[in-house]
Amino acid sequence: MGFEMNDDILHGYSGSTYGTIEIPENTRHIGSGAFCGSDIKEIDLSTAWVLWTIMNNAFEDCYRLKKVIMNRSVSEIEYRAFAFCSNLEDIELPPDIEKISYETFLNCSKLNNIEIPFGVKKIERSAFSGCGLTSIEIPYSVEEIESDAFYGCPLEMAYIPAELEIDIDSVFNCAGPNRGKEKVKIIRI
């Protein structure tokens, strides 16, 4: 099938990029840069029995990637895992992740909608910078959002827990290169 495996870590792929790519069922971790720069369009991670980690840069610069079918067992998505996947439109975050890492979805400009699962405690710097998000709801479980988490997003509305103390201007710095100085409407819930 073109998968490069070492024990339970998927390190690379050199197979066909047509159709949906299904990862091997014994995959526990997708290694750093495993699919980096690949021409894949859709990947199904649910085919692994138990997938725990998507390591840094795993899918970075997969500019043709449109859809990721997530495995619900994933508990960690490392930094820049999906950075520069400019055509990514469809991904559902797994329920057990506790943080959205640094630049995870950097410049995923077609990612217009994402649900942050209850259980996420931290959204790191630039996690969604350059995405196409027009609204976002931050769950009550979130305790910290770092600066520029949503830099350059065309956000119109953000729903934030009333108790969450953040620097609104720093976190929702949406005046990026393609926007004016419009303010995001913040609704405390």
Side-chain angles (χ1 to χ4, degrees):
M1 216 38 215
F3 293 103
E4 299 167 26
M5 298 283 296
N6 182 1
D7 295 323
D8 56 2
I9 301 174
L10 193 158
H11 288 285
Y13 178 73
S14 58
S16 172
T17 59
Y18 297 102
T20 302
I21 310 304
E22 296 179 349
I23 65 169
E25 56 190 28
N26 63 330
T27 304
R28 298 293 172 265
H29 311 279
I30 296 178
S32 298
F35 290 87
C36 188
S38 170
D39 285 338
I40 61 171
K41 295 171 190 72
E42 185 171 319
I43 190 155
D44 187 350
L45 305 179
S46 70
T47 54
W49 293 323
V50 179
L51 177 64
W52 292 315
T53 312
I54 299 173
M55 294 180 181
N56 58 291
N57 313 93
F59 294 95
E60 184 173 2
D61 204 27
C62 290
Y63 69 95
R64 292 185 184 200
L65 184 62
K66 286 187 173 196
K67 182 175 184 178
V68 176
I69 301 167
M70 190 60 72
N71 189 312
R72 294 182 55 82
S73 64
V74 171
S75 60
E76 186 173 9
I77 301 174
E78 294 182 355
Y79 67 93
R80 296 187 83 152
F82 296 97
F84 301 103
C85 293
S86 56
N87 284 301
L88 183 62
E89 298 173 345
D90 189 5
I91 186 169
E92 183 177 332
L93 294 175
D96 292 334
I97 62 168
E98 291 189 0
K99 77 174 179 187
I100 300 173
S101 298
Y102 171 73
E103 295 184 346
T104 297
F105 296 102
L106 177 66
N107 288 332
C108 293
S109 55
K110 290 195 178 171
L111 187 60
N112 298 325
N113 186 23
I114 196 159
E115 183 177 332
I116 298 173
F118 187 82
V120 169
K121 293 181 176 156
K122 183 176 184 179
I123 300 173
E124 291 187 348
R125 182 180 173 105
S126 303
F128 295 101
S129 182
C131 288
L133 301 173
T134 56
S135 71
I136 194 74
E137 183 171 341
I138 308 297
Y140 288 100
S141 59
V142 172
E143 299 167 356
E144 181 183 2
I145 304 177
E146 293 183 355
S147 65
D148 294 332
F150 298 94
Y151 177 80
C153 295
L155 281 172
E156 296 168 9
M157 292 192 137
Y159 300 88
I160 305 170
E163 306 81 33
L164 183 61
E165 294 182 21
I166 58 171
D167 179 348
I168 299 290
D169 290 332
S170 175
V171 168
F172 295 101
N173 180 355
C174 298
N178 299 321
R179 297 233 344 158
K181 293 283 184 187
E182 301 94 0
K183 290 282 186 180
V184 177
K185 183 173 183 178
I186 305 295
I187 300 173
R188 293 286 187 165
I189 50 176

